[in-house]
Amino acid sequence: MSQSDDPLDNMTTTEVTQILVEFYNHSRYYYTTRSRVDEVSRLKGSVMDFGGSQASFLVQASTLTKRSFVNMTRDIGYYWLRLASYIVVSVCIGTIFVNVGTKFTSIRARSASAFFIMTFLTFMSIGGFPSFAEDLKVSIKSDSTGTTEVSAFVIGNTLSSAPFLMLIASVSGTISYFIVGLHPGFSHYLFFNLCLYASVCVVESMMMAIASVLPNFLMGVMIGAGIQGIFLLVSGYFRRIDDIPKPVWRYPMTYISFHYWDLQGAYLNDMRGLTFDNLNPELPKIPGEYVLENTLMVDLHRSKWWDLTVLLAMVVVYRILFFVMIKLSEDVAPWIRGYIARKRLTRASTVF
C-alpha cells in the first residue's frame, strides 16, 4: 500500500492542533490581540473595571421599559391574543345577560354577571405567564452579570404592561357593561373598568411572584390557577360570608382573596341606588341596599372606593414580593447548592 506524499496525512489530530497553536502564539495576530486586550483592560470606568453596568438606575429602568414594551407589542401571545379572547368572552357574557333589568330574577343575574366578569376575565390573565417567564429569565441573567438591576426590571415591566392591561380592561369592560345594562352613569362605568383593571393587575403581579419561584411554564400556570381557585371559594359568592368557617378560611383567607374585594366593589357599584321588583307584584319594591346587606353580605358602611384601594395595594404588595423572592433566590440558592455539594463531597470522602 503506497504512503501519501502529504505530511498531514501521516500526523495525528493532536499533533496538527499543537502545530497550529504554536504558529498562532508566534504570529503577529497573537501580539495584536494581546495588545488590544491589555489596552481595554486598562480603561477606567469600563464594565471590565467595575464588574457591572455604569448606567444609572433611571437609565436602566427607562431602557427596560422600552424593551419590554416593544416585546409586548411584537409578541402576539403576550397581550394581543388575550385581548381577542377577552373580546369574545365579553360578547358572550353581554349577549347572555343582555339588558338584565331590575326584575326580581335580575337580582341573581346581576350578581352572577358581576362574578363572571370579575373572576373569569381575571382568571384568563394567567395565559401571559409563559411570555413573562421568558422575560424574567433574561432579566435574571442580566442581573447576575451586573448589567441590570431587578428593581429596574420590576419597574420597567410594570410601566410597560400598564397600557396593555388598561386596554384589555377597558375594551372588555365596556363591551360587557353596556350590553348587560349595568348601573347607568359615567362614574359607575368608570369604577367598573378601574376595578377590572386593578383585578387583572393583581393577577399579573401574583404570577410574577410565582414565576420568580417556579419558572417552569406548566407548574407556574397550575399553581397560579390553584391559588385563584382557592380565592374564588372564599370570595363570598359560592357561600355566604357569615357561613364560611372562620378559622383559616374567613380569617385570613377571605381578606387575602382579591376576588372578595373586587366582587364587593362591583356589587356596591351596581346595586346601590337601584330598586328591584318583588316576587309578588303587590308587595313593595326591594331596595338594592337591602339586597347588598342581606343577600350578598356586603358592608354598606364601606365605600366601594375602599375596595378599589385594597386591590391597588395588593398590586404593590405582590410586586414587592416578587422583588424579594428574586433577591432571595440570588443570595440563598447559590448557598443551598454549595451546601448540598459540600455534603456530597463529605459523604463521598467518608465512603472512600
Side-chain angles (χ1 to χ4, degrees):
M1 186 176 186
S2 60
Q3 229 176 5
S4 173
D5 294 332
D6 190 348
L8 293 177
D9 292 339
N10 302 320
M11 299 175 65
T12 64
T13 304
T14 304
E15 292 173 334
V16 173
T17 303
Q18 186 62 35
I19 292 174
L20 292 174
V21 170
E22 290 293 332
F23 176 78
Y24 175 77
N25 288 338
H26 294 87
S27 67
R28 62 183 180 88
Y29 301 105
Y30 170 80
Y31 294 107
T32 302
T33 304
R34 184 68 185 177
S35 175
R36 182 57 181 162
V37 170
D38 292 339
E39 179 183 345
V40 172
S41 64
R42 287 192 298 269
L43 292 176
K44 295 297 181 181
S46 65
V47 174
M48 294 181 64
D49 183 44
F50 287 88
S53 173
Q54 298 307 300
S56 66
F57 176 81
L58 291 177
V59 172
Q60 291 185 35
S62 175
T63 302
L64 289 175
T65 300
K66 294 176 183 178
R67 189 187 71 180
S68 297
F69 186 82
V70 171
N71 290 340
M72 293 172 183
T73 304
R74 293 177 178 176
D75 188 353
I76 189 174
Y78 215 135
Y79 287 115
W80 300 121
L81 189 60
R82 289 163 58 188
L83 176 61
S85 301
Y86 273 59
I87 292 174
V88 172
V89 173
S90 299
V91 171
C92 294
I93 296 172
T95 51
I96 290 174
F97 294 96
V98 60
N99 295 327
V100 66
T102 56
K103 301 189 295 286
F104 180 79
T105 54
S106 299
I107 297 174
R108 176 63 177 171
R110 281 180 176 272
S111 61
S113 63
F115 170 80
F116 197 88
I117 293 169
M118 289 296 171
T119 59
F120 187 74
L121 290 182
T122 55
F123 194 90
M124 291 169 61
S125 294
I126 64 177
F129 182 86
S131 298
F132 169 74
E134 287 295 328
D135 283 351
L136 181 59
K137 290 178 181 178
V138 175
S139 173
I140 292 176
K141 291 180 180 178
S142 299
D143 185 69
S144 62
T145 58
T147 308
T148 60
E149 298 182 14
V150 173
S151 55
F153 172 78
V154 174
I155 293 176
N157 180 269
T158 303
L159 295 177
S160 58
S161 63
F164 296 98
L165 296 179
M166 181 60 75
L167 177 65
I168 287 175
S170 60
V171 170
S172 56
T174 300
I175 293 173
S176 56
Y177 193 90
F178 288 107
I179 297 180
V180 173
L182 297 177
H183 199 298
F186 179 76
S187 62
H188 294 274
Y189 162 73
L190 177 64
F191 178 87
F192 181 83
N193 282 339
L194 289 176
C195 191
L196 182 58
Y197 168 73
S199 300
V200 174
C201 286
V202 172
V203 177
E204 290 271 319
S205 303
M206 183 184 71
M207 296 307 293
M208 287 176 66
I210 293 174
S212 64
V213 182
L214 296 171
N216 180 270
F217 297 162
L218 182 59
M219 292 186 64
V221 171
M222 289 176 61
I223 295 297
I227 293 174
Q228 285 211 65
I230 295 173
F231 285 169
L232 285 173
L233 287 174
V234 296
S235 64
Y237 181 80
F238 296 102
R239 194 170 189 191
R240 286 164 56 97
I241 294 296
D242 286 351
D243 296 333
I244 296 176
K246 289 180 173 57
V248 180
W249 293 118
R250 184 174 179 186
Y251 306 111
M253 289 303 298
T254 293
Y255 297 99
I256 295 176
S257 168
F258 61 89
H259 286 307
Y260 167 77
W261 297 101
D262 61 27
L263 281 180
Q264 294 275 304
Y267 291 156
L268 280 169
N269 183 63
D270 182 45
M271 294 192 182
R272 176 171 257 169
L274 296 180
T275 55
F276 297 92
D277 296 335
N278 210 311
L279 184 61
N280 187 340
E282 297 180 357
L283 296 176
K285 290 183 178 293
I286 304 173
E289 288 78 4
Y290 179 86
V291 175
L292 289 169
E293 189 172 21
N294 296 278
T295 303
L296 301 175
M297 306 302 295
V298 175
D299 185 4
L300 295 179
H301 300 289
R302 189 177 67 235
S303 170
K304 64 182 181 181
W305 297 102
W306 172 253
D307 296 318
L308 179 61
T309 302
V310 173
L311 288 173
L312 295 176
M314 286 184 172
V315 175
V316 177
V317 169
Y318 277 120
R319 297 277 171 169
I320 294 175
L321 179 62
F322 163 71
F323 174 78
V324 172
M325 294 304 296
I326 288 293
K327 282 301 183 183
L328 285 178
S329 66
E330 289 180 352
D331 298 334
V332 177
W335 182 86
I336 293 176
R337 288 194 294 266
Y339 176 78
I340 294 174
R342 288 192 297 270
K343 293 292 288 184
R344 288 177 177 175
L345 288 174
T346 304
R347 193 180 302 114
S349 62
T350 304
V351 172
F352 292 104

